Amino acid sequence: MGHNVKNIVIIHLVVFLFMLFVFFTPTHFTFLIWNVFLALLPLDFALIAAHSKPIFAMLAGILWLLFFPNTMYMITDFIHLQYISTAIDVRYQYFNYSVLAAGIFIGVTLGVLSLEIIIRRFFDPNKDFLKLLFMMALSLISALGIYLGRFLRLNSWDVFTRADFVWQSVQNSLGSHMLTFVVLFAGVQFALLIVYHYGGQLLTNLTLDKLD
């Protein structure tokens, strides 16, 4: 338990320091502060679910699901490269690239880490097929959430405050543009989640082999 607390504190400290760095450093990417904060929430909800009784774990799991798309949403933040040009060979752009990439990688990593906690809380470790189905469904739901956030500018909490508007917006946006985006981004997310999940298992197994 002590090691878990230490790890949680370190993760939150790194995220906080990154947000402070972005706040006090002149860049075009101050939006990263808010986006990284939103990406941290799924991890916190997952941790609550992991250490709560079933009823509270379910509530935390629902909140986790609503906010999870904010983590993978950050992949689309690469669109902001247009404001600093895409000439990576220009030396003064290295700093801007580094800040943006760091924020995106932090956000995505927080997302896949939160998923691992949710899987360990709610799924039998031997039911790989169910976990694969869950990750596939999650990728589709998350991709839809990213679309709503990036193109329709909706937020996770709009499900609670403007549910009718969200539903109407989804209906009005149905078409090839949404379908193509959702399918492609679901595929990207599914690949990331699979590599992280089974890569983590590989590391665990290698560690156990050494102990044996």
Side-chain angles (χ1 to χ4, degrees):
M1 184 64 179
H3 289 297
N4 288 338
V5 172
K6 182 186 73 172
N7 294 336
I8 292 169
V9 170
I10 289 174
I11 290 171
H12 282 73
L13 180 61
V14 168
V15 171
F16 179 69
L17 289 175
F18 175 78
M19 291 191 293
L20 277 181
F21 177 80
V22 175
F23 181 79
F24 287 108
T25 305
T27 70
H28 294 277
F29 308 133
T30 52
F31 63 86
L32 285 173
I33 299 172
W34 179 243
N35 287 2
V36 169
F37 170 74
L38 290 178
L40 180 63
L41 291 180
L43 176 62
D44 289 334
F45 289 135
L47 289 170
I48 292 172
H51 297 93
S52 300
K53 294 181 179 179
I55 182 63
F56 296 108
M58 288 299 298
L59 292 174
I62 292 172
L63 290 173
W64 169 83
L65 180 60
L66 285 174
F67 281 86
F68 178 82
N70 291 301
T71 65
M72 297 299 164
Y73 172 90
M74 294 195 66
I75 297 174
T76 67
D77 279 337
F78 277 117
I79 192 175
H80 294 282
L81 288 175
Q82 63 183 309
Y83 301 117
I84 63 169
S85 89
T86 56
I88 196 169
D89 58 324
V90 179
R91 283 182 295 177
Y92 63 80
Q93 295 293 20
Y94 293 170
F95 175 77
N96 288 317
Y97 269 82
S98 299
V99 173
L100 182 60
I104 293 171
F105 293 153
I106 288 173
V108 173
T109 302
L110 290 171
V112 292
L113 178 59
S114 74
L115 172 63
E116 286 302 301
I117 296 172
I118 290 293
I119 286 177
R120 295 185 184 190
R121 176 64 177 85
F122 293 105
F123 288 85
D124 186 321
N126 298 317
K127 300 294 179 62
D128 276 340
F129 182 67
L130 289 179
K131 289 187 287 186
L132 285 171
L133 285 179
F134 177 69
M135 285 188 277
M136 187 179 300
L138 177 65
S139 297
L140 287 168
I141 293 171
S142 180
L144 176 60
I146 294 170
Y147 184 91
L148 298 180
R150 175 55 68 189
F151 295 102
L152 304 186
R153 310 309 299 168
L154 296 175
N155 298 299
S156 299
W157 51 86
D158 286 329
V159 173
F160 299 106
T161 60
R162 299 191 295 169
D164 291 340
F165 179 73
V166 172
W167 176 243
Q168 190 64 45
S169 298
V170 171
Q171 289 181 310
N172 293 339
S173 301
L174 289 175
S176 60
H177 185 263
M178 173 189 280
L179 180 62
T180 302
F181 182 92
V182 169
V183 170
L184 288 175
F185 263 77
V188 170
Q189 291 177 77
F190 186 64
L192 286 172
L193 300 181
I194 290 297
V195 169
Y196 188 91
H197 177 72
Y198 288 100
Q201 287 189 357
L202 175 62
L203 290 175
T204 300
N205 292 335
L206 288 174
T207 302
L208 293 175
D209 288 341
K210 286 184 178 179
L211 292 176
D212 293 337

